[in-house]
Amino acid sequence: MSGIRKAQGRTALLRITLASGLALWLSAPLAARAQEATVQEATVQEATWLAEAKAKLPATLVAGRVIHLDEEARKATIAVFPAGADSPTTPGSVFTPLQVMEVNLKSDNGTLAVAMTTVRPRRPDEASADDDSEPYQAELRAALAPRRKAEPQVEPCRIKGWALNDTRHSLAVRAAPSAQAKVVGHLAPVRVTPESGQGSEEGWRVEFDITGYSHGWFRIAKATPPGTPYGDPPPRRYPRTYAGTGWIRASEAGGAYANSQMPVRRLLSAPHVDAPGEPPGADVAGPDGALSIDGTLVRLFACSANWALTESRDGRRGWWRGICSNQVTNCS
């Protein structure tokens, strides 16, 4: 991302900012690789104005990436998001109107300081410069918006997952997101075969589309019997898998992180690439310091479009764009 900033004619001040320990805020794709070195280069100047700007936000908002900095005009723009969007009880949504904090800067004895801040709606021309997928994301939101309007209690989703049952029990699929709702079918138990050993799970699991979320429940459809997508279908006497639409608890669904070309490959506090996030733990980080997608997802909590609120193996919780159900290889 620093190369992009330079190409845009950023001044030396911005280059210092990008090289600093606050690369966490600017979230360049290479930031994690240089994190140890750049932390030592942090300056009092940039830490002061960013921290000062953050402190002026109300408790209902959290600051994300700096999306614009103009030294000559002494203006900065920071993406902001609702606080609590990474909580399973108040999950965020891609349909929540985006906001930014506009920061007017001043010189205080040669150091940049905050003169005034204003939170306002984010304009269409303030899109993330490093997210090549944004045109597709906009199309997806537009396609799903009518469903959300028709069903206000259901967040429309477009991810995939698999059933988290065992080898002995089928999983009930219900007509509505409630434990009291009618059972409309079942998902077959895990099936262990010689071929299933090639997967990352202990045996083949039922796979399905996740098309909606509501208060701790996922709406699923198009479930396939265990092993079928891999040429190893169950015998006719095996318990049947319901392929229609129905609901299962969010705790009964699993999946895998997909490589969706996120510019910041870490779990984020809201379903947007400019939301803040923490670097992954050492046990789940790849060689580049980004979150590895290989077997690191341990829990699904909620979804919105092609984003999912998840927990990774290091215990961190946050949003990731792209969840798949491939049990044989990673979803790159």
mmCIF file with all atom_site columns, all heavy atoms in Angstrom, residues 73-100:
data_model
loop_
_atom_site.group_PDB
_atom_site.id
_atom_site.type_symbol
_atom_site.label_atom_id
_atom_site.label_alt_id
_atom_site.label_comp_id
_atom_site.label_asym_id
_atom_site.label_entity_id
_atom_site.label_seq_id
_atom_site.pdbx_PDB_ins_code
_atom_site.Cartn_x
_atom_site.Cartn_y
_atom_site.Cartn_z
_atom_site.occupancy
_atom_site.B_iso_or_equiv
_atom_site.pdbx_formal_charge
_atom_site.auth_seq_id
_atom_site.auth_comp_id
_atom_site.auth_asym_id
_atom_site.auth_atom_id
_atom_site.pdbx_PDB_model_num
ATOM 1   N N   . ALA A 1 73  ? -3.297  20.455  2.669  1.00 0.00 ? 73  ALA A N   1
ATOM 2   C CA  . ALA A 1 73  ? -4.611  20.946  3.100  1.00 0.00 ? 73  ALA A CA  1
ATOM 3   C C   . ALA A 1 73  ? -4.860  20.701  4.579  1.00 0.00 ? 73  ALA A C   1
ATOM 4   O O   . ALA A 1 73  ? -5.834  21.194  5.146  1.00 0.00 ? 73  ALA A O   1
ATOM 5   C CB  . ALA A 1 73  ? -5.709  20.276  2.282  1.00 0.00 ? 73  ALA A CB  1
ATOM 6   N N   . ARG A 1 74  ? -3.961  19.899  5.190  1.00 0.00 ? 74  ARG A N   1
ATOM 7   C CA  . ARG A 1 74  ? -4.081  19.547  6.609  1.00 0.00 ? 74  ARG A CA  1
ATOM 8   C C   . ARG A 1 74  ? -5.442  18.927  6.920  1.00 0.00 ? 74  ARG A C   1
ATOM 9   O O   . ARG A 1 74  ? -6.156  19.336  7.826  1.00 0.00 ? 74  ARG A O   1
ATOM 10  C CB  . ARG A 1 74  ? -3.819  20.766  7.500  1.00 0.00 ? 74  ARG A CB  1
ATOM 11  C CG  . ARG A 1 74  ? -2.364  21.223  7.426  1.00 0.00 ? 74  ARG A CG  1
ATOM 12  C CD  . ARG A 1 74  ? -2.043  22.301  8.407  1.00 0.00 ? 74  ARG A CD  1
ATOM 13  N NE  . ARG A 1 74  ? -0.615  22.649  8.333  1.00 0.00 ? 74  ARG A NE  1
ATOM 14  C CZ  . ARG A 1 74  ? -0.048  23.634  9.004  1.00 0.00 ? 74  ARG A CZ  1
ATOM 15  N NH1 . ARG A 1 74  ? -0.789  24.366  9.826  1.00 0.00 ? 74  ARG A NH1 1
ATOM 16  N NH2 . ARG A 1 74  ? 1.226   23.898  8.874  1.00 0.00 ? 74  ARG A NH2 1
ATOM 17  N N   . LYS A 1 75  ? -5.728  17.899  6.133  1.00 0.00 ? 75  LYS A N   1
ATOM 18  C CA  . LYS A 1 75  ? -6.977  17.158  6.324  1.00 0.00 ? 75  LYS A CA  1
ATOM 19  C C   . LYS A 1 75  ? -6.681  15.666  6.270  1.00 0.00 ? 75  LYS A C   1
ATOM 20  O O   . LYS A 1 75  ? -5.826  15.212  5.502  1.00 0.00 ? 75  LYS A O   1
ATOM 21  C CB  . LYS A 1 75  ? -8.009  17.501  5.244  1.00 0.00 ? 75  LYS A CB  1
ATOM 22  C CG  . LYS A 1 75  ? -8.638  18.884  5.394  1.00 0.00 ? 75  LYS A CG  1
ATOM 23  C CD  . LYS A 1 75  ? -9.708  19.101  4.345  1.00 0.00 ? 75  LYS A CD  1
ATOM 24  C CE  . LYS A 1 75  ? -10.366 20.466  4.506  1.00 0.00 ? 75  LYS A CE  1
ATOM 25  N NZ  . LYS A 1 75  ? -11.162 20.537  5.756  1.00 0.00 ? 75  LYS A NZ  1
ATOM 26  N N   . ALA A 1 76  ? -7.402  14.915  7.079  1.00 0.00 ? 76  ALA A N   1
ATOM 27  C CA  . ALA A 1 76  ? -7.305  13.454  7.073  1.00 0.00 ? 76  ALA A CA  1
ATOM 28  C C   . ALA A 1 76  ? -8.711  12.880  7.146  1.00 0.00 ? 76  ALA A C   1
ATOM 29  O O   . ALA A 1 76  ? -9.623  13.523  7.684  1.00 0.00 ? 76  ALA A O   1
ATOM 30  C CB  . ALA A 1 76  ? -6.460  12.957  8.241  1.00 0.00 ? 76  ALA A CB  1
ATOM 31  N N   . THR A 1 77  ? -8.859  11.700  6.595  1.00 0.00 ? 77  THR A N   1
ATOM 32  C CA  . THR A 1 77  ? -10.147 11.016  6.640  1.00 0.00 ? 77  THR A CA  1
ATOM 33  C C   . THR A 1 77  ? -9.920  9.606   7.161  1.00 0.00 ? 77  THR A C   1
ATOM 34  O O   . THR A 1 77  ? -9.073  8.874   6.639  1.00 0.00 ? 77  THR A O   1
ATOM 35  C CB  . THR A 1 77  ? -10.804 10.960  5.242  1.00 0.00 ? 77  THR A CB  1
ATOM 36  O OG1 . THR A 1 77  ? -10.853 12.270  4.692  1.00 0.00 ? 77  THR A OG1 1
ATOM 37  C CG2 . THR A 1 77  ? -12.213 10.399  5.340  1.00 0.00 ? 77  THR A CG2 1
ATOM 38  N N   . ILE A 1 78  ? -10.661 9.232   8.192  1.00 0.00 ? 78  ILE A N   1
ATOM 39  C CA  . ILE A 1 78  ? -10.525 7.931   8.830  1.00 0.00 ? 78  ILE A CA  1
ATOM 40  C C   . ILE A 1 78  ? -11.862 7.192   8.752  1.00 0.00 ? 78  ILE A C   1
ATOM 41  O O   . ILE A 1 78  ? -12.911 7.759   9.083  1.00 0.00 ? 78  ILE A O   1
ATOM 42  C CB  . ILE A 1 78  ? -10.114 8.064   10.310 1.00 0.00 ? 78  ILE A CB  1
ATOM 43  C CG1 . ILE A 1 78  ? -8.835  8.905   10.437 1.00 0.00 ? 78  ILE A CG1 1
ATOM 44  C CG2 . ILE A 1 78  ? -9.926  6.699   10.952 1.00 0.00 ? 78  ILE A CG2 1
ATOM 45  C CD1 . ILE A 1 78  ? -8.463  9.233   11.872 1.00 0.00 ? 78  ILE A CD1 1
ATOM 46  N N   . ALA A 1 79  ? -11.831 5.959   8.307  1.00 0.00 ? 79  ALA A N   1
ATOM 47  C CA  . ALA A 1 79  ? -13.050 5.146   8.293  1.00 0.00 ? 79  ALA A CA  1
ATOM 48  C C   . ALA A 1 79  ? -13.464 4.836   9.725  1.00 0.00 ? 79  ALA A C   1
ATOM 49  O O   . ALA A 1 79  ? -12.618 4.536   10.570 1.00 0.00 ? 79  ALA A O   1
ATOM 50  C CB  . ALA A 1 79  ? -12.814 3.849   7.522  1.00 0.00 ? 79  ALA A CB  1
ATOM 51  N N   . VAL A 1 80  ? -14.752 4.909   10.021 1.00 0.00 ? 80  VAL A N   1
ATOM 52  C CA  . VAL A 1 80  ? -15.260 4.577   11.354 1.00 0.00 ? 80  VAL A CA  1
ATOM 53  C C   . VAL A 1 80  ? -16.422 3.594   11.229 1.00 0.00 ? 80  VAL A C   1
ATOM 54  O O   . VAL A 1 80  ? -17.135 3.580   10.219 1.00 0.00 ? 80  VAL A O   1
ATOM 55  C CB  . VAL A 1 80  ? -15.709 5.833   12.133 1.00 0.00 ? 80  VAL A CB  1
ATOM 56  C CG1 . VAL A 1 80  ? -14.531 6.752   12.379 1.00 0.00 ? 80  VAL A CG1 1
ATOM 57  C CG2 . VAL A 1 80  ? -16.816 6.576   11.416 1.00 0.00 ? 80  VAL A CG2 1
ATOM 58  N N   . PHE A 1 81  ? -16.590 2.786   12.271 1.00 0.00 ? 81  PHE A N   1
ATOM 59  C CA  . PHE A 1 81  ? -17.576 1.707   12.246 1.00 0.00 ? 81  PHE A CA  1
ATOM 60  C C   . PHE A 1 81  ? -18.281 1.594   13.591 1.00 0.00 ? 81  PHE A C   1
ATOM 61  O O   . PHE A 1 81  ? -17.743 2.014   14.620 1.00 0.00 ? 81  PHE A O   1
ATOM 62  C CB  . PHE A 1 81  ? -16.881 0.383   11.903 1.00 0.00 ? 81  PHE A CB  1
ATOM 63  C CG  . PHE A 1 81  ? -16.198 0.397   10.569 1.00 0.00 ? 81  PHE A CG  1
ATOM 64  C CD1 . PHE A 1 81  ? -14.874 0.800   10.462 1.00 0.00 ? 81  PHE A CD1 1
ATOM 65  C CD2 . PHE A 1 81  ? -16.890 0.056   9.422  1.00 0.00 ? 81  PHE A CD2 1
ATOM 66  C CE1 . PHE A 1 81  ? -14.238 0.850   9.226  1.00 0.00 ? 81  PHE A CE1 1
ATOM 67  C CE2 . PHE A 1 81  ? -16.278 0.097   8.190  1.00 0.00 ? 81  PHE A CE2 1
ATOM 68  C CZ  . PHE A 1 81  ? -14.954 0.495   8.085  1.00 0.00 ? 81  PHE A CZ  1
ATOM 69  N N   . PRO A 1 82  ? -19.481 1.007   13.607 1.00 0.00 ? 82  PRO A N   1
ATOM 70  C CA  . PRO A 1 82  ? -20.210 0.852   14.874 1.00 0.00 ? 82  PRO A CA  1
ATOM 71  C C   . PRO A 1 82  ? -19.433 -0.025  15.859 1.00 0.00 ? 82  PRO A C   1
ATOM 72  O O   . PRO A 1 82  ? -18.911 -1.078  15.485 1.00 0.00 ? 82  PRO A O   1
ATOM 73  C CB  . PRO A 1 82  ? -21.524 0.179   14.457 1.00 0.00 ? 82  PRO A CB  1
ATOM 74  C CG  . PRO A 1 82  ? -21.672 0.487   13.007 1.00 0.00 ? 82  PRO A CG  1
ATOM 75  C CD  . PRO A 1 82  ? -20.277 0.539   12.456 1.00 0.00 ? 82  PRO A CD  1
ATOM 76  N N   . ALA A 1 83  ? -19.349 0.399   17.089 1.00 0.00 ? 83  ALA A N   1
ATOM 77  C CA  . ALA A 1 83  ? -18.743 -0.436  18.126 1.00 0.00 ? 83  ALA A CA  1
ATOM 78  C C   . ALA A 1 83  ? -19.653 -1.640  18.381 1.00 0.00 ? 83  ALA A C   1
ATOM 79  O O   . ALA A 1 83  ? -20.873 -1.546  18.294 1.00 0.00 ? 83  ALA A O   1
ATOM 80  C CB  . ALA A 1 83  ? -18.571 0.371   19.404 1.00 0.00 ? 83  ALA A CB  1
ATOM 81  N N   . GLY A 1 84  ? -19.052 -2.789  18.655 1.00 0.00 ? 84  GLY A N   1
ATOM 82  C CA  . GLY A 1 84  ? -19.831 -3.985  18.946 1.00 0.00 ? 84  GLY A CA  1
ATOM 83  C C   . GLY A 1 84  ? -20.239 -4.773  17.718 1.00 0.00 ? 84  GLY A C   1
ATOM 84  O O   . GLY A 1 84  ? -20.954 -5.777  17.839 1.00 0.00 ? 84  GLY A O   1
ATOM 85  N N   . ALA A 1 85  ? -19.781 -4.370  16.525 1.00 0.00 ? 85  ALA A N   1
ATOM 86  C CA  . ALA A 1 85  ? -20.147 -5.103  15.314 1.00 0.00 ? 85  ALA A CA  1
ATOM 87  C C   . ALA A 1 85  ? -19.496 -6.477  15.248 1.00 0.00 ? 85  ALA A C   1
ATOM 88  O O   . ALA A 1 85  ? -19.891 -7.316  14.430 1.00 0.00 ? 85  ALA A O   1
ATOM 89  C CB  . ALA A 1 85  ? -19.769 -4.293  14.073 1.00 0.00 ? 85  ALA A CB  1
ATOM 90  N N   . ASP A 1 86  ? -18.516 -6.722  16.107 1.00 0.00 ? 86  ASP A N   1
ATOM 91  C CA  . ASP A 1 86  ? -17.869 -8.032  16.155 1.00 0.00 ? 86  ASP A CA  1
ATOM 92  C C   . ASP A 1 86  ? -18.373 -8.882  17.318 1.00 0.00 ? 86  ASP A C   1
ATOM 93  O O   . ASP A 1 86  ? -17.763 -9.897  17.668 1.00 0.00 ? 86  ASP A O   1
ATOM 94  C CB  . ASP A 1 86  ? -16.359 -7.882  16.250 1.00 0.00 ? 86  ASP A CB  1
ATOM 95  C CG  . ASP A 1 86  ? -15.920 -7.048  17.456 1.00 0.00 ? 86  ASP A CG  1
ATOM 96  O OD1 . ASP A 1 86  ? -16.795 -6.459  18.132 1.00 0.00 ? 86  ASP A OD1 1
ATOM 97  O OD2 . ASP A 1 86  ? -14.704 -6.983  17.724 1.00 0.00 ? 86  ASP A OD2 1
ATOM 98  N N   . SER A 1 87  ? -19.504 -8.488  17.904 1.00 0.00 ? 87  SER A N   1
ATOM 99  C CA  . SER A 1 87  ? -20.112 -9.275  18.974 1.00 0.00 ? 87  SER A CA  1
ATOM 100 C C   . SER A 1 87  ? -21.205 -10.173 18.401 1.00 0.00 ? 87  SER A C   1
ATOM 101 O O   . SER A 1 87  ? -22.014 -9.723  17.591 1.00 0.00 ? 87  SER A O   1
ATOM 102 C CB  . SER A 1 87  ? -20.728 -8.353  20.031 1.00 0.00 ? 87  SER A CB  1
ATOM 103 O OG  . SER A 1 87  ? -21.533 -9.096  20.937 1.00 0.00 ? 87  SER A OG  1
ATOM 104 N N   . PRO A 1 88  ? -21.259 -11.436 18.805 1.00 0.00 ? 88  PRO A N   1
ATOM 105 C CA  . PRO A 1 88  ? -22.322 -12.328 18.310 1.00 0.00 ? 88  PRO A CA  1
ATOM 106 C C   . PRO A 1 88  ? -23.725 -11.847 18.671 1.00 0.00 ? 88  PRO A C   1
ATOM 107 O O   . PRO A 1 88  ? -24.692 -12.219 18.010 1.00 0.00 ? 88  PRO A O   1
ATOM 108 C CB  . PRO A 1 88  ? -22.007 -13.662 18.997 1.00 0.00 ? 88  PRO A CB  1
ATOM 109 C CG  . PRO A 1 88  ? -20.548 -13.603 19.293 1.00 0.00 ? 88  PRO A CG  1
ATOM 110 C CD  . PRO A 1 88  ? -20.280 -12.166 19.633 1.00 0.00 ? 88  PRO A CD  1
ATOM 111 N N   . THR A 1 89  ? -23.849 -11.009 19.694 1.00 0.00 ? 89  THR A N   1
ATOM 112 C CA  . THR A 1 89  ? -25.172 -10.511 20.079 1.00 0.00 ? 89  THR A CA  1
ATOM 113 C C   . THR A 1 89  ? -25.593 -9.286  19.273 1.00 0.00 ? 89  THR A C   1
ATOM 114 O O   . THR A 1 89  ? -26.790 -8.999  19.162 1.00 0.00 ? 89  THR A O   1
ATOM 115 C CB  . THR A 1 89  ? -25.202 -10.158 21.575 1.00 0.00 ? 89  THR A CB  1
ATOM 116 O OG1 . THR A 1 89  ? -24.186 -9.179  21.841 1.00 0.00 ? 89  THR A OG1 1
ATOM 117 C CG2 . THR A 1 89  ? -24.941 -11.396 22.419 1.00 0.00 ? 89  THR A CG2 1
ATOM 118 N N   . THR A 1 90  ? -24.633 -8.572  18.698 1.00 0.00 ? 90  THR A N   1
ATOM 119 C CA  . THR A 1 90  ? -24.945 -7.388  17.878 1.00 0.00 ? 90  THR A CA  1
ATOM 120 C C   . THR A 1 90  ? -24.082 -7.389  16.620 1.00 0.00 ? 90  THR A C   1
ATOM 121 O O   . THR A 1 90  ? -23.327 -6.442  16.364 1.00 0.00 ? 90  THR A O   1
ATOM 122 C CB  . THR A 1 90  ? -24.708 -6.094  18.661 1.00 0.00 ? 90  THR A CB  1
ATOM 123 O OG1 . THR A 1 90  ? -23.336 -6.080  19.134 1.00 0.00 ? 90  THR A OG1 1
ATOM 124 C CG2 . THR A 1 90  ? -25.659 -5.966  19.838 1.00 0.00 ? 90  THR A CG2 1
ATOM 125 N N   . PRO A 1 91  ? -24.155 -8.437  15.804 1.00 0.00 ? 91  PRO A N   1
ATOM 126 C CA  . PRO A 1 91  ? -23.261 -8.525  14.643 1.00 0.00 ? 91  PRO A CA  1
ATOM 127 C C   . PRO A 1 91  ? -23.511 -7.406  13.631 1.00 0.00 ? 91  PRO A C   1
ATOM 128 O O   . PRO A 1 91  ? -24.640 -6.940  13.456 1.00 0.00 ? 91  PRO A O   1
ATOM 129 C CB  . PRO A 1 91  ? -23.596 -9.901  14.057 1.00 0.00 ? 91  PRO A CB  1
ATOM 130 C CG  . PRO A 1 91  ? -24.993 -10.181 14.510 1.00 0.00 ? 91  PRO A CG  1
ATOM 131 C CD  . PRO A 1 91  ? -25.097 -9.555  15.869 1.00 0.00 ? 91  PRO A CD  1
ATOM 132 N N   . GLY A 1 92  ? -22.447 -6.984  12.972 1.00 0.00 ? 92  GLY A N   1
ATOM 133 C CA  . GLY A 1 92  ? -22.550 -5.932  11.979 1.00 0.00 ? 92  GLY A CA  1
ATOM 134 C C   . GLY A 1 92  ? -23.192 -6.410  10.691 1.00 0.00 ? 92  GLY A C   1
ATOM 135 O O   . GLY A 1 92  ? -23.561 -7.573  10.536 1.00 0.00 ? 92  GLY A O   1
ATOM 136 N N   . SER A 1 93  ? -23.324 -5.477  9.753  1.00 0.00 ? 93  SER A N   1
ATOM 137 C CA  . SER A 1 93  ? -23.966 -5.768  8.470  1.00 0.00 ? 93  SER A CA  1
ATOM 138 C C   . SER A 1 93  ? -23.297 -4.970  7.367  1.00 0.00 ? 93  SER A C   1
ATOM 139 O O   . SER A 1 93  ? -22.930 -3.798  7.572  1.00 0.00 ? 93  SER A O   1
ATOM 140 C CB  . SER A 1 93  ? -25.450 -5.419  8.531  1.00 0.00 ? 93  SER A CB  1
ATOM 141 O OG  . SER A 1 93  ? -26.050 -5.470  7.234  1.00 0.00 ? 93  SER A OG  1
ATOM 142 N N   . VAL A 1 94  ? -23.156 -5.573  6.195  1.00 0.00 ? 94  VAL A N   1
ATOM 143 C CA  . VAL A 1 94  ? -22.596 -4.856  5.054  1.00 0.00 ? 94  VAL A CA  1
ATOM 144 C C   . VAL A 1 94  ? -23.555 -3.775  4.567  1.00 0.00 ? 94  VAL A C   1
ATOM 145 O O   . VAL A 1 94  ? -23.170 -2.904  3.783  1.00 0.00 ? 94  VAL A O   1
ATOM 146 C CB  . VAL A 1 94  ? -22.269 -5.811  3.885  1.00 0.00 ? 94  VAL A CB  1
ATOM 147 C CG1 . VAL A 1 94  ? -21.274 -6.874  4.309  1.00 0.00 ? 94  VAL A CG1 1
ATOM 148 C CG2 . VAL A 1 94  ? -23.538 -6.448  3.327  1.00 0.00 ? 94  VAL A CG2 1
ATOM 149 N N   . PHE A 1 95  ? -24.795 -3.825  5.026  1.00 0.00 ? 95  PHE A N   1
ATOM 150 C CA  . PHE A 1 95  ? -25.798 -2.850  4.604  1.00 0.00 ? 95  PHE A CA  1
ATOM 151 C C   . PHE A 1 95  ? -25.865 -1.629  5.516  1.00 0.00 ? 95  PHE A C   1
ATOM 152 O O   . PHE A 1 95  ? -26.607 -0.693  5.238  1.00 0.00 ? 95  PHE A O   1
ATOM 153 C CB  . PHE A 1 95  ? -27.171 -3.523  4.529  1.00 0.00 ? 95  PHE A CB  1
ATOM 154 C CG  . PHE A 1 95  ? -27.216 -4.661  3.559  1.00 0.00 ? 95  PHE A CG  1
ATOM 155 C CD1 . PHE A 1 95  ? -27.114 -5.972  4.002  1.00 0.00 ? 95  PHE A CD1 1
ATOM 156 C CD2 . PHE A 1 95  ? -27.342 -4.438  2.204  1.00 0.00 ? 95  PHE A CD2 1
ATOM 157 C CE1 . PHE A 1 95  ? -27.137 -7.036  3.109  1.00 0.00 ? 95  PHE A CE1 1
ATOM 158 C CE2 . PHE A 1 95  ? -27.370 -5.484  1.303  1.00 0.00 ? 95  PHE A CE2 1
ATOM 159 C CZ  . PHE A 1 95  ? -27.269 -6.791  1.753  1.00 0.00 ? 95  PHE A CZ  1
ATOM 160 N N   . THR A 1 96  ? -25.100 -1.642  6.595  1.00 0.00 ? 96  THR A N   1
ATOM 161 C CA  . THR A 1 96  ? -25.043 -0.464  7.455  1.00 0.00 ? 96  THR A CA  1
ATOM 162 C C   . THR A 1 96  ? -24.363 0.674   6.709  1.00 0.00 ? 96  THR A C   1
ATOM 163 O O   . THR A 1 96  ? -23.262 0.496   6.170  1.00 0.00 ? 96  THR A O   1
ATOM 164 C CB  . THR A 1 96  ? -24.253 -0.774  8.738  1.00 0.00 ? 96  THR A CB  1
ATOM 165 O OG1 . THR A 1 96  ? -24.895 -1.827  9.451  1.00 0.00 ? 96  THR A OG1 1
ATOM 166 C CG2 . THR A 1 96  ? -24.161 0.455   9.629  1.00 0.00 ? 96  THR A CG2 1
ATOM 167 N N   . PRO A 1 97  ? -24.981 1.849   6.630  1.00 0.00 ? 97  PRO A N   1
ATOM 168 C CA  . PRO A 1 97  ? -24.358 2.974   5.914  1.00 0.00 ? 97  PRO A CA  1
ATOM 169 C C   . PRO A 1 97  ? -22.958 3.271   6.454  1.00 0.00 ? 97  PRO A C   1
ATOM 170 O O   . PRO A 1 97  ? -22.752 3.340   7.669  1.00 0.00 ? 97  PRO A O   1
ATOM 171 C CB  . PRO A 1 97  ? -25.319 4.134   6.169  1.00 0.00 ? 97  PRO A CB  1
ATOM 172 C CG  . PRO A 1 97  ? -26.649 3.467   6.405  1.00 0.00 ? 97  PRO A CG  1
ATOM 173 C CD  . PRO A 1 97  ? -26.327 2.200   7.136  1.00 0.00 ? 97  PRO A CD  1
ATOM 174 N N   . LEU A 1 98  ? -22.002 3.467   5.553  1.00 0.00 ? 98  LEU A N   1
ATOM 175 C CA  . LEU A 1 98  ? -20.629 3.712   5.953  1.00 0.00 ? 98  LEU A CA  1
ATOM 176 C C   . LEU A 1 98  ? -20.444 5.155   6.412  1.00 0.00 ? 98  LEU A C   1
ATOM 177 O O   . LEU A 1 98  ? -21.115 6.070   5.933  1.00 0.00 ? 98  LEU A O   1
ATOM 178 C CB  . LEU A 1 98  ? -19.683 3.409   4.794  1.00 0.00 ? 98  LEU A CB  1
ATOM 179 C CG  . LEU A 1 98  ? -19.649 1.954   4.318  1.00 0.00 ? 98  LEU A CG  1
ATOM 180 C CD1 . LEU A 1 98  ? -18.733 1.815   3.110  1.00 0.00 ? 98  LEU A CD1 1
ATOM 181 C CD2 . LEU A 1 98  ? -19.195 1.027   5.442  1.00 0.00 ? 98  LEU A CD2 1
ATOM 182 N N   . GLN A 1 99  ? -19.516 5.333   7.339  1.00 0.00 ? 99  GLN A N   1
ATOM 183 C CA  . GLN A 1 99  ? -19.208 6.662   7.864  1.00 0.00 ? 99  GLN A CA  1
ATOM 184 C C   . GLN A 1 99  ? -17.697 6.881   7.899  1.00 0.00 ? 99  GLN A C   1
ATOM 185 O O   . GLN A 1 99  ? -16.905 5.919   7.904  1.00 0.00 ? 99  GLN A O   1
ATOM 186 C CB  . GLN A 1 99  ? -19.767 6.830   9.278  1.00 0.00 ? 99  GLN A CB  1
ATOM 187 C CG  . GLN A 1 99  ? -21.277 6.807   9.381  1.00 0.00 ? 99  GLN A CG  1
ATOM 188 C CD  . GLN A 1 99  ? -21.731 6.970   10.821 1.00 0.00 ? 99  GLN A CD  1
ATOM 189 O OE1 . GLN A 1 99  ? -21.551 6.093   11.651 1.00 0.00 ? 99  GLN A OE1 1
ATOM 190 N NE2 . GLN A 1 99  ? -22.320 8.126   11.122 1.00 0.00 ? 99  GLN A NE2 1
ATOM 191 N N   . VAL A 1 100 ? -17.315 8.136   7.939  1.00 0.00 ? 100 VAL A N   1
ATOM 192 C CA  . VAL A 1 100 ? -15.913 8.497   8.119  1.00 0.00 ? 100 VAL A CA  1
ATOM 193 C C   . VAL A 1 100 ? -15.827 9.628   9.135  1.00 0.00 ? 100 VAL A C   1
ATOM 194 O O   . VAL A 1 100 ? -16.810 10.327  9.399  1.00 0.00 ? 100 VAL A O   1
ATOM 195 C CB  . VAL A 1 100 ? -15.243 8.954   6.803  1.00 0.00 ? 100 VAL A CB  1
ATOM 196 C CG1 . VAL A 1 100 ? -15.203 7.829   5.795  1.00 0.00 ? 100 VAL A CG1 1
ATOM 197 C CG2 . VAL A 1 100 ? -15.949 10.188  6.241  1.00 0.00 ? 100 VAL A CG2 1
#
